Amino acid sequence: MHNNIFKTIDQSTNRKVKTIRTIILVAIASLIMSINIKTFVHSGGLLPGGITGLSLLVQRIFLRFFNLTLPYSLVNIILNAIPAIIGFKMISKRFTFYSVVMIVLNSLLVDVIPAYTITSDPLLVALFGGLLNGIAIVIALYGNASSGGTDFIAVYLNRRFNISSWNIILLFNSAILLTSGMLFGFKASLYSIIFQFVSTQTISTFHKSNQKVTMLIITNYADAIEDDILNTTHHGITKFMGEGVYDKAPRCMLYTVVSADEVNLVADIVHMHDPHAFINVLRSTSVKGKFYQKPLD
C-alpha cells in the first residue's frame, strides 16, 4: 500500500514538472517567434509560411486593397481554429491545448512588441529569420507543443506514417509565398522561400525524434540488455546468433530501430551491462511497419 502511495506521489510530481517545463518552453518559443516576426520578418517584408504567413498575408491584403488594418492576433487565432480542432481530435488534447496557448501568446506578443529593423539586407533577413523561426518551432516541439497551423499536419503525418513531413509542409508554404508574389511582387516572396527552407532544415536537423536510426549491437549479455531496452524504449528487438571470426567465440547481435534522440540512452544501457559491446548506428531513411512512438500526453 505504501508503495502505491509513493508511486502516485511520484507520478503527480512528474506531471507537475512536465507541465512547468512545457509552459516555460512554450513561453520561450512564443517570445522568439514574436521577436522574429517584428524584426527580421517585418523588416524584410517576408512571409514565414504556414498559418503565421497566411495571417500576415491576410493583413497585407486588407491593408493594401481595403485600407483596413486588422489585428494580427484576431486573424491568426481565427485561421488556427480549424487546424486546432483537427489536432484535438487526431493528435492529442494536451499537445493541442499547449499549442493553442502558444498561438494566443504569440499573437498577443506580435501586437504588443514594437517593430525594429536589425538589418535591411534581404539575404541576411531570410537566413537569420528562418533560423530563428525554426529554433522557435523546435523549442515548442521539445515541450510537446507546436506553433499551430501546419505544424499540426506535420506532427500528425509523422506519427501516423512515420515520415518526416516538414519538406511536404515546405511545398505548401511555397504555394502561399507564390500567391503573395503575384499580389505584392516576387522579390520578397523569393526571399521568403529561402526563409522557409532554412526554417525547415533547422527543424529537421534539431528535432531528432522525427529521425529514425538502426542500432546493431554485438554483445555477450544479450538477455539483460534486450530486457532493459524493451522496458525503457518499448521498441522491438530482433536477436541474431553468430560467431566471432577473430576468436571463433559465439556472439549475439541485437537489431533495433529507435528515434535519433534515444541513441545515447540505448548506448548507456548496453555499456552498463557490457562495457566491451560493439554498437553500429545506421541512419534509417524510411521505416515501414509498426514503430513505437511515445504518446504526446
Side-chain angles (χ1 to χ4, degrees), residues 52-73:
T52 299
L54 189 57
S55 299
L56 292 173
L57 178 59
V58 170
Q59 273 190 308
R60 292 172 189 175
I61 289 174
F62 271 83
L63 183 62
R64 171 71 66 85
F65 298 104
F66 303 102
N67 197 29
L68 181 62
T69 301
L70 295 179
Y72 173 83
S73 55

Side-chain angles (χ1 to χ4, degrees), residues 37-49:
I37 290 174
K38 300 299 284 190
T39 54
F40 290 109
V41 174
H42 180 268
S43 61
L46 305 179
L47 288 177

